[in-house]
Every structure is written in structure tokens, then in C-alpha cells.
Amino acid sequence: MKLSFEKSVAGREGTEIPATGVKEKKTDDLLDAKFLRKELELPELSELDVVRHFIALSRRNFGVDNGFYPLGSCTMKYNPKINEVTSSLSGFANSHPLQTEKLSQGSLQVIYELQEFLKEITGFPSYSLQPAAGAHGELTGIMIAKKYFEDLGEERKNILLPDSSHGTNPASVNMCNFNSVEIKSNERGGLGVEDLKQHVDKDTAVLMLTNPNTLGIFDENILEICKIVHDAGGLVYCDGANANAILGKSKIADMGFDITHLNLHKSFSTPHGGGGPGSGPVGVVEKLKDFLPKPVVGKKSENYFLDYNIPKSIGRMKAFYGNFSVMVRAYTYIRALGPEGMREVAENAVLNANYLKERLKKTYHLQYDRICQHEFVLSDKNLPNEVTTIDVAKRLLDLGFHAPTIYFPLIVKGAIMIEPTETEGKETLDEFAEAMEQIAKEAKEKPECVKEAPLCTPVGRLDAVKAAREPNLRWVSKE
Amino acid sequence: MNFVPSTERQKKEMMDSIGIKSIDDLFVDIPEKIRLKDDLKLPEALPEQELLGELEKISSKNADSNSHSYFIGAGSYHHYIPAAVPFLIKRSEFYTAYTPYQPEISQGMLQVIYEYQSLICILTGMDVANASVYDGASAMGEAMIMSCNITKRKKILVSKTIDPQYRETLSTYCWAHGAELNEISFVDGGVTSLEELKKEISEETAAVMVQYPNFFGCVEDLDEIGNLAHEKGALFVVAVAEPIALGILESPGKFGADIVLGEGQSFGNPMSYGGPGVGFMAVKEKYVRQIPGRLVGATEDSEGKRGYIMTMQAREQHIRREKASSNICSNEALAALANTVYLSLLGKNGLSKLAELNLQRANYLYDKLIELDEIEKVFSGKIFNEFVVKVKDVNALQKKLLDEKIVAGYDLGKDYPELKDCLLFCVTEMNSPEQIEKLIEVLK
């Protein structure tokens, strides 16, 4: 499909800009000639050209509203439409972040009450909603830990990570000048407690753990794990990416964690937007609340205010107060669900995952055969004719499904990580299972149709090596 | 409403098929003592109709651009959003998708990002742009880490004419990363002090950072600053918080910038009480392997058909883990899509005209205000759509305006003790000539 630039027609316009309506001066008098732009090669299109272009592009994209999207650890649940309506209300969308607190009581109320909801859901007494994404929340969390140890005057250099951890974990560690130390998983898919004991010492700053983890397993030793780290003076960080499985069933703070981040775009139904914007609130235990980024939103009698009085704060993580319109969506969602609905989310997400797992393990290899939480990880181990995970993923696209997360976590070779979420019905799960079973059958009987997949998409498998070796990262005018 | 479609009967069927009697059998791995016995203490569920009523009630407690006129920017800008922008970005295929991990069914978003990267390169005058980062302020933190990695130095010089919130964010990132941050003050022109910069810069400086136009609305002399940075082997980093200016101002790339970053909110995204915005980041070709974030590239399938794919991922955290220079693993795709639709609609002429409109209206008000008795000009430098004036009493003046439903001026004394009683005004195309005249009238 052509690029917008390739559709450009010299002289065409898509908008009409109003006249200035005031007494004008010569542009040259207002700006020095040296700073005046000589060329601006933007496309020249009519409004209809633009509309058709982006509608055509949208038809070459696949979202949750198109079909089943079992992308593991990403919680691709349905995004209720009411969230879009509330977040677009003029009072929210068209208000300026620097108008006075008095003129912002509605926005501040949403932020404050959302903080309160998240406190109740996770058990942490303090929250910051400033981080813009999960990875940003994680970075914030590690900075909080860094500041805490600085404040104590302790020089702890190590952050412990399980071998099943997400790649953002070690990268966050590096950005904060810590060292990462890998801890092995045990044979049941949980953290290896013995290996942990070997590595925990006076240099341990933080253990970062995802619970339920990336295998979809709730670590049954969680209380002991947190105790081991605490006994050595360290902190335990929860990557809350998988909180969907435990909403209303267990509180992250009760497990012994000191810091968590949540992903509003996963557990709380805000849209993933093709890669963002998300929101990654951070919750902490009492002893860490003085280190949160500022400002947080407080309430005095009936008035909400921005609290900048956090002397030991790590500082600011981004401009203003966080991704506010994402917060409005999450707030709307929590108010739609109520307490029972919140628990039912977790119950049905876990029920759906276990139902699919039990059915698919008859056809695909399941390395950790036990009750799972929100997701489970199959592999390509038993597939014949050298059919591999990537082939299964691509064939699923032909059959009308988004592929699961693949080749992650790294501790399962050829991983196929499936998270159905609670918003899918049994018949969708059955259809997906049938597709997976069909692919396994095809792998045996006509492997080429799996290996050559996808055949029904706008493009076939793309040459990733060429893309990396001969980078073509932008359109360049031929003139 | 829990949005769960399974009926009780279906749930029973699924439980039978798994071989469990109760849902709680699925949660046995959670130690008994931390399993919740009671439901959470949250407000009771609301049906959609009542929920909307409730949110409407809350939102109406805010002032907004319907109830008030805004003469304030300072990092968040009130611009007109053409009707086609929200219409197109609300397409389900875009907004309910995730990062395009499966390129064959994500060509739409991938091509959008490729076009977005191209537009950012054109506007900034740079060679390579990434798929976007969180916002302008955090982009500055990313640029700092990138500069330290490239130069193997750890000292950053940042102009005080950069948005205070950007500098605060940068300061957080610097502290965590172990980089030293020093500020360069400004001169009467409202721009960075070249004298002080000359004094402070050394062979240990990793980067010199300025804003264009700067926080006071003034246009910095990028040429001079860039030369000073390069003489010492430091990277020249330019931040753009109000990118509408790039419709009329020469691109930072033309003045030798090594990294250009900024905030794209102005291009088709509402102010939304400060977020989400969308950070853009563009660099010279030679730094392509050091840029953080996603990159989308063009390639081909086996039949030679052009397609787009996330590429050069060897830079990123999921491959390099602790060796990655950033942990960023997403972008602000939907806001970047809004940027792309917006810039495609405005096009070459539209963006230039819009920038000219902002320039003219802001300068008109600037001239009129400093003619008034109790209002003084502060800086001699030329401005784009923001300017600084000194008033007798900031609070009294703002209150007087508020009584007339005008939100005007950012109080600079909060961030700059030396600029007590100074207000930063902003004028965009949303400030009609009538609004402008009314403001002048109120202050007369």
C-alpha cells in the first residue's frame, strides 16, 4: 500500500486555517531570517484522501475488537466503550494541567479516588499514578528502592531476578546503576528458594518478582521468599503485569512485597492503543512512601490538592501527573465492576486459562503441568516435521486469531504463552482450541501449509534480516 | 457489569472439564492466610447509564476550554483538533491492538509508525526517529543516557530556559544513572547565556541541552550553542515542547543537533489535564544503534511485496536484557497515530499557516500588553507563541482574569526566584481575536 507521501499532490490541502484576525506584522520582523524554515516536505492531501488512507491502514490491523487476542502477559481483554466516552468528556479532555487546583477538582478527584481504589485492591498504603507505562513504573520502583538505601546509608548493589523475568527488569536495573543477578526457577516453575538463599546477602537491594509469574504460576512459596529477602534487609518488588489473575482474590502487599507497579492497560481494561499510551501506577509500603515521585494527590476536608511536599521524593518521572485520560478509563472500569465484578474478573480469567490448558495439553507439550492462573505456556516440543512455534503462530493468523506471545519466557524452549482473559466466552475458547488442534494435525499431514503460513494476510512473512541489515526507517523524497 | 460473557452453565461445563468442584480450587497455590475471604471495599457496581451520569458530574467540576479561555501553555498546548483526527484514531483496529508483534496482521499500525518516523525526521531535520516514547520530559532522560553511552562521559549541561518539569525529570534520571547535572542560566534576551556555557563546558561534558523555542517562548541561537558543544566533543541536544513552531522555524537538524526530542501533544492530542502526551526522539544516522525505543523499518516478504516490521531489536531490552540502554518497550502509538493523521491533514501549507497564525496572534497580544501601564516587557528576545511579562501583582491579576473566565499566564516565580511577578502567556489559534481583545480590555 502506498505511503501518504506517495499519494501527495502538490497544492492540495486538507484543512483551512483561519485568518489571523489581528493587525499583522511582517514575519521577517518577528523572527530572524536565519531561523525561518526554508522547506517543509509534509504530504499534501485532501481530507478525504487522509480519511481513506487511514481507514485502509486500519483494515490492515488486528485488535481485540476484531477477534481473539491471546497474547500472554499482555492481558488483551475487552476495552469497554464507555471508557472512551468518559475519558473524552470535555471537562477531562479539554482542561489544562496548570490551571489552579480549584479549577481542577474533578480531575483531582478521579486521580485521588483511583489511588484509593488501587490501595484497596493491592493493600499498599501509598500510590503514585505518574508513571506512563509498566516499564516506566518499574523504573520508578527501582529508583524508590535506590533512594531508600541511600537514605539508610547502605550501599547495596545487587538486584535479583528470576530467569523467567521480563526483559524490562534487567534493563531497569541497568538504568539505575545496579547489577542484576539471575536466580533459577525450580522444577515446578516457581522461584528456586535454595538458589535464592545462595544469592541473598548484604549486597542485595531488591528481589524483583512477577507474581503470578510469566509461566502463569502463583508462587506458592511467596511468603517464605519475601521473608528471606527481608531478613537480609532487602526489598521485594512485584512486577504487577499479571495482577488480572488475583484481583479480589489476594492482595500483593499481603504477600510480603514492598513495591508494586500495575498496568492499567492490562488489568484495568484501558486500551493498548497499538503500543500505548498505558499507565503504570506504583504502590509502596509505609516506609517507602516518602520516596514516591511528586506530586501525589491528597485530600484536605472536601478539597483535593497536588501534594509536592515529599522531601525525600525521587523527583519527577515525567511532565504533569501521569497519563490522565488512561486513569479516567481505569476509574470508569472499576466503578462499572464493583467489588464482586473485580473478583469475577480474576475467577473467570483463571477459569478460562485452565479450561484451555487442560484441552490443549492433550495436543501440545506443557512443561509445567499444574493449575495455572491467568495464562499458561505450551511449547513446540512434540510437533513433527520440524514445525516450530513461529509456524504455529503464523498459521493462527490465517485462521483468524492473533498469535499468543511466543518464545517467552526464555526458560521454556519454543514457548507459546496463552492468556485468554475473562472477557472471552467458552465458544471462542473452543474455536481457538480447534484451530490449535487443526494446526497440530496439519503439522503431521501437510507441514508445508503451516511452514508457509500466513497466506491470507496482506503480506507474507517479512524479511527481518534485510530490515536490520539495510535499515530503511523513513520515507525520503526522490527529488 | 463485569464484561464476562460466560453463563453459569458454561462455567459449570468448564469446571467439569477441568475436574474441579469450585472456582476456589483454582486458587489453591495462594497460601491460605493471604487468600481474601471477603470482597474488596470498592464502590458498588454501576450500570453504564448511571456511571456516565456520575462521570459527567465529576468532569463538570473542572474548568475546561468551553467554560474558560486559555492563555496558558508552559508545556501543554490548546490547539484545534480537526474532526477527522479523533474519528480515525478511534478505529477499533488501531486502538484495541497491542504493539505490532505479528507484522502480517499489523501492517496498518506499522505503516503508521513508519510514516510518523518520516514526519518527525522532516520536522526536526534529522535522519532517524523512533516510534515515540512516553513524553517530552522523559525523552530528555532517555537522551541523557544515550549521550553518556555515546561519549562515555557523565556530565550534562542543561539550560535553565528548558521547561522546569523537563529539568526535574532529567534530574531524576541523572541521579539514578549516576550522571552529573549542571544548569546554565539565561541573559536579558531570555535565552541561554553563551558566556556561562563557554565557562562551564569541558572535555568531560556529555551533552548540552537547550529548548527551541525555549520555555519563555524565545528562540535560542542554536547555531552558536551547537558549535560550542561540538568543539568540546559533547552532543548537542535540542528539546521542542511546542512543535507547531517547527512549521515556521528552521529545523534543529540544520543547526547541527545530534539528538532532537520533544512533545507531540500539540499535533492532534487534547490537553487531557497533562497526559497522555507523546515524546518524539530523532537522531543523526550515526547514532541509530544507540537510540532507545521501537524502530519500524521497511522490508519485503518472499514475493517482494513491501511491508513494515519492528527492526534493529538487538538494541532493545527483550534481547539485550541488562545490556540494553533503556527499558522502554512500548511507545505512545495511539498519540503518535494522532500526530500522523494531524500532520497529514495539515500538510505542508497548513502547518506553516498555523504556525504563522500562532506567531502573529501571540506577538499582537505581547505588543498590546506591554503598552499597558502596569505591565512590563521582561526579555528582549524574539518569541513564537509564548512570552513573558512582568506585572504588579500576579495573584491579583490572575484573579481579575479568572473572574472573567480567563485562565492566563503561568506564574514563573514558582520555578525562577529571579522572575518573581513574571507571567508566561501563550496564544494559539484557539484564542480568537475577540478573546484577545477581551483580555486586553480586562487588563486596561
Side-chain angles (χ1 to χ4, degrees):
Chain A
M1 190 182 141
K2 278 186 175 176
L3 293 163
S4 59
F5 299 96
E6 294 161 344
K7 295 175 177 173
S8 177
V9 178
R12 194 171 278 179
E13 298 196 0
T15 48
E16 189 174 353
I17 306 296
T20 61
V22 295
K23 190 158 172 279
E24 291 186 25
K25 283 190 170 176
K26 275 201 205 138
T27 310
D28 293 358
D29 292 341
L30 297 176
L31 292 169
D32 292 336
K34 177 177 165 186
F35 296 113
L36 286 179
R37 187 178 273 270
K38 319 276 171 319
E39 54 180 359
L40 185 61
E41 231 174 0
L42 301 181
E44 297 175 85
L45 301 162
S46 70
E47 182 173 329
L48 178 58
D49 291 336
V50 173
V51 169
R52 285 203 178 134
H53 181 68
F54 288 96
I55 293 292
L57 286 173
S58 75
R59 295 180 63 183
R60 295 157 76 90
N61 224 49
F62 186 100
V64 175
D65 288 356
N66 296 91
F68 189 45
Y69 210 127
L71 196 64
S73 270
C74 296
T75 315
M76 300 301 289
K77 64 168 74 176
Y78 174 61
N79 310 131
K81 302 310 164 204
I82 185 66
N83 296 352
E84 301 309 304
V85 176
T86 56
S87 58
S88 302
L89 288 168
S90 182
F92 295 134
N94 300 317
S95 66
H96 193 282
L98 299 172
Q99 65 193 32
T100 63
E101 288 167 0
K102 202 176 158 199
L103 296 181
S104 310
Q105 286 297 301
S107 297
L108 293 172
Q109 181 182 343
V110 168
I111 300 176
Y112 180 84
E113 290 185 356
L114 182 56
Q115 285 172 187
E116 295 299 305
F117 296 164
L118 299 182
K119 287 177 191 176
E120 168 63 14
I121 291 168
T122 60
F124 289 98
S126 293
Y127 260 90
S128 163
L129 306 190
Q130 198 175 81
H136 203 215
E138 187 184 297
L139 181 63
T140 306
I142 297 305
M143 286 184 187
I144 289 169
K146 187 182 175 85
K147 198 85 182 182
Y148 166 73
F149 288 114
E150 263 186 28
D151 191 55
L152 287 181
E154 292 183 20
E155 273 187 48
R156 293 171 177 252
K157 287 310 291 173
N158 294 338
I159 293 193
L160 314 185
L161 307 165
D163 50 11
S164 60
S165 75
H166 195 271
T168 55
N169 294 174
S172 302
V173 168
N174 183 47
M175 284 174 87
C176 296
N177 263 350
F178 284 109
N179 305 318
S180 24
V181 178
E182 195 167 272
I183 307 294
K184 289 196 178 62
S185 298
N186 65 23
E187 69 295 339
R188 282 177 53 77
L191 189 73
V193 174
E194 286 314 309
D195 198 41
L196 176 69
K197 284 181 185 163
Q198 299 274 313
H199 287 94
V200 169
D201 56 25
K202 62 178 179 18
D203 280 331
T204 302
V206 183
L207 166 70
M208 292 179 88
L209 208 59
T210 309
N211 194 35
N213 68 17
T214 56
L215 295 165
I217 291 168
F218 189 97
D219 206 311
E220 58 219 338
N221 301 317
I222 189 63
L223 297 170
E224 188 189 352
I225 289 168
C226 291
K227 186 170 186 307
I228 292 168
V229 179
H230 287 153
D231 285 349
L235 298 172
V236 195
Y237 179 91
C238 180
D239 179 331
N242 296 333
N244 207 48
I246 51 167
L247 297 173
K249 301 302 285 186
S250 185
K251 295 188 181 186
I252 297 173
D254 290 350
M255 299 170 202
F257 288 101
D258 302 288
I259 313 172
T260 192
H261 85 257
L262 296 169
N263 300 70
L264 298 187
H265 48 285
K266 293 180 181 177
S267 319
F268 298 96
S269 88
T270 77
H272 284 68
S279 175
V282 172
V284 294
V285 292
E286 185 67 26
K287 69 177 175 189
L288 298 176
K289 77 172 189 330
D290 293 343
F291 306 101
L292 284 172
K294 58 186 174 183
V296 296
V297 176
K299 188 180 181 186
K300 225 182 281 165
S301 59
E302 284 312 297
N303 295 316
Y304 302 96
F305 67 101
L306 291 162
D307 187 358
Y308 288 91
N309 186 21
I310 314 174
K312 292 179 184 174
S313 165
I314 58 166
R316 185 177 269 292
M317 290 302 291
K318 71 182 288 299
F320 307 117
Y321 325 112
N323 282 346
F324 176 69
S325 82
V326 179
M327 297 175 208
V328 178
R329 291 173 172 93
Y331 178 87
T332 305
Y333 177 71
I334 294 171
R335 302 269 334 241
L337 257 60
E340 268 175 58
M342 199 58 71
R343 175 175 46 76
E344 287 162 355
V345 162
E347 290 176 351
N348 287 283
V350 173
L351 177 62
N352 280 357
N354 278 283
Y355 173 70
L356 254 189
K357 175 191 59 128
E358 287 303 308
R359 177 158 174 187
L360 287 176
K361 79 178 191 190
K362 293 172 195 149
T363 317
Y364 288 82
H365 176 247
L366 174 69
Q367 189 164 312
Y368 299 95
D369 188 3
R370 54 183 288 191
I371 286 171
C372 69
Q373 301 295 288
H374 60 295
E375 66 192 1
F376 58 99
V377 181
L378 302 172
S379 85
D380 58 3
K381 195 174 173 188
N382 295 341
L383 293 174
N385 298 318
E386 292 165 344
V387 169
T388 61
T389 290
I390 185 98
D391 303 319
V392 175
K394 297 304 178 192
R395 184 67 182 134
L396 277 170
L397 309 184
D398 272 341
L399 300 176
F401 299 96
H402 196 282
T405 295
I406 53 174
Y407 299 107
F408 185 82
L410 307 175
I411 55 169
V412 176
K413 201 168 162 285
I416 304 173
M417 186 197 218
I418 299 171
E419 178 179 13
T421 85
E422 75 284 1
T423 58
E424 301 296 338
K426 179 174 175 292
E427 57 289 353
T428 306
L429 305 180
D430 287 335
E431 284 164 19
F432 177 73
E434 278 157 30
M436 288 289 284
E437 285 155 4
Q438 178 190 325
I439 294 168
K441 195 158 169 258
E442 286 169 347
K444 205 181 295 170
E445 292 166 7
K446 38 178 183 174
E448 64 289 347
C449 97
V450 185
K451 286 182 186 174
E452 285 164 19
L455 298 168
C456 312
T457 48
V459 291
R461 288 193 205 186
L462 292 162
D463 188 345
V465 175
K466 180 183 160 77
R469 291 221 178 121
E470 305 161 30
N472 171 351
L473 306 172
R474 61 171 293 195
W475 170 83
V476 179
S477 160
K478 291 208 179 71
E479 287 158 26
Chain B
M1 186 73 195
N2 59 13
F3 306 100
V4 171
S6 299
T7 62
E8 289 310 313
R9 187 183 163 152
Q10 284 179 316
K11 288 182 204 169
K12 175 81 174 44
E13 281 170 21
M14 289 196 275
M15 287 199 283
D16 289 347
S17 141
I18 300 168
I20 52 164
K21 294 229 158 45
S22 140
I23 277 282
D24 283 328
D25 295 345
L26 296 174
F27 293 92
V28 290
D29 286 338
I30 303 179
E32 179 73 36
K33 66 183 264 207
I34 57 169
R35 241 181 276 164
L36 293 178
K37 311 288 177 300
D38 302 310
D39 275 336
L40 297 168
K41 292 181 190 68
L42 294 171
E44 284 308 315
L46 284 178
E48 184 174 306
Q49 187 185 341
E50 290 169 23
L51 185 56
L52 178 59
E54 175 74 6
L55 270 290
E56 279 171 342
K57 204 172 88 194
I58 299 173
S59 72
S60 68
K61 295 180 190 172
N62 286 340
D64 66 10
S65 57
N66 295 328
S67 65
H68 288 67
S69 55
Y70 286 118
F71 287 86
I72 184 169
S76 179
Y77 298 92
H78 184 213
H79 287 293
Y80 183 70
I81 300 175
V85 176
F87 185 86
L88 289 169
I89 73 165
K90 287 278 155 104
R91 285 285 291 194
S92 279
E93 295 85 342
F94 288 134
Y95 96 86
T96 72
Y98 197 28
T99 302
Y101 289 119
Q102 295 293 334
E104 297 87 351
I105 55 168
S106 310
Q107 282 301 298
M109 189 50 95
L110 285 161
Q111 183 170 330
V112 165
I113 295 172
Y114 182 86
E115 292 182 3
Y116 165 81
Q117 291 173 178
S118 307
L119 291 163
I120 295 298
C121 287
I122 290 166
L123 286 167
T124 56
M126 303 302 283
D127 304 317
V128 180
N130 70 13
S132 75
V133 294
Y134 308 131
D135 73 345
S138 59
M140 194 159 247
E142 298 283 351
M144 177 276 297
I145 295 177
M146 192 180 157
S147 302
C148 292
N149 288 342
I150 290 170
T151 59
K152 311 271 181 259
R153 303 173 181 180
K154 282 214 150 176
K155 290 187 177 176
I156 305 290
L157 288 180
V158 63
S159 170
K160 275 185 88 175
T161 64
I162 291 184
D163 186 327
Q165 299 211 5
Y166 283 42
R167 283 183 286 127
E168 281 173 44
T169 307
L170 176 64
S171 160
T172 308
Y173 277 72
C174 280
W175 156 76
H177 195 63
E180 187 186 316
L181 181 64
N182 288 299
E183 294 187 333
I184 305 291
S185 63
F186 48 88
V187 293
D188 295 345
V191 292
T192 309
S193 164
L194 297 179
E195 288 310 309
E196 197 174 321
L197 177 59
K198 276 180 208 159
K199 235 185 288 166
E200 294 293 322
I201 194 167
S202 75
E203 264 79 26
E204 291 175 33
T205 308
V208 175
M209 300 185 169
V210 296
Q211 185 175 327
Y212 176 78
N214 69 24
F215 189 62
F216 306 138
C218 299
V219 183
E220 295 276 355
D221 190 344
L222 296 189
D223 223 0
E224 286 275 343
I225 300 167
N227 289 339
L228 288 173
H230 289 147
E231 273 168 26
K232 301 287 180 190
L235 295 196
F236 180 34
V237 179
V238 178
V240 183
E242 170 49 306
I244 298 289
L246 296 178
I248 195 159
L249 287 182
E250 187 54 281
S251 70
K254 279 265 163 42
F255 300 110
D258 297 292
I259 303 174
V260 181
L261 60 93
E263 173 56 59
Q265 177 261 323
S266 287
F267 293 153
N269 289 293
M271 296 178 287
S272 252
Y273 200 55
V278 47
F280 61 80
M281 224 176 153
V283 299
K284 281 184 180 160
E285 179 94 58
K286 61 180 166 181
Y287 302 130
V288 60
R289 303 219 174 246
Q290 278 86 29
I291 195 171
R294 304 289 197 201
L295 286 172
V296 169
T299 183
E300 288 171 351
D301 69 5
S302 59
E303 288 171 10
K305 234 187 274 175
R306 180 171 66 178
Y308 304 88
I309 190 169
M310 289 195 292
T311 190
M312 303 179 72
Q313 302 197 23
R315 300 166 297 117
E316 292 185 57
Q317 30 69 37
H318 61 288
I319 309 272
R320 284 179 67 84
R321 296 180 70 87
E322 72 274 8
K323 291 192 192 71
S325 58
S326 171
N327 76 346
I328 197 161
C329 61
S330 59
N331 65 341
E332 304 291 273
L334 206 65
L337 168 64
N339 288 178
T340 310
V341 175
Y342 181 87
L343 290 168
S344 306
L345 270 172
L346 266 76
K348 183 176 171 171
N349 292 330
L351 190 65
S352 320
K353 284 184 199 166
L354 181 65
E356 177 81 36
L357 173 56
N358 277 254
L359 176 79
Q360 292 290 349
R361 285 193 187 166
N363 275 282
Y364 175 80
L365 179 64
Y366 191 16
D367 288 346
K368 287 283 177 192
L369 286 186
I370 55 180
E371 279 172 14
L372 300 179
D373 280 346
E374 293 186 341
I375 298 184
E376 288 169 40
K377 186 167 178 162
V378 176
F379 296 126
S380 58
K382 296 191 168 170
I383 60 109
F384 173 61
N385 69 358
E386 289 180 276
F387 57 85
V388 179
V389 291
K390 187 165 186 176
V391 303
K392 264 242 154 85
D393 181 340
V394 165
N395 292 333
L397 181 135
Q398 285 190 316
K399 179 163 186 313
K400 194 169 167 190
L401 290 168
L402 257 187
D403 288 342
E404 299 295 326
K405 305 263 182 210
I406 299 171
V407 177
Y410 174 73
D411 180 0
L412 287 169
K414 284 188 267 187
D415 306 293
Y416 301 89
E418 64 272 44
L419 295 177
K420 199 174 164 289
D421 295 324
C422 291
L423 283 172
L424 175 68
F425 280 79
C426 178
V427 186
T428 72
E429 74 280 8
M430 301 306 273
N431 301 108
S432 64
E434 293 73 32
Q435 276 191 12
I436 294 171
E437 296 304 337
K438 182 174 172 192
L439 174 79
I440 298 165
E441 209 47 50
V442 175
L443 294 183
K444 258 185 188 164

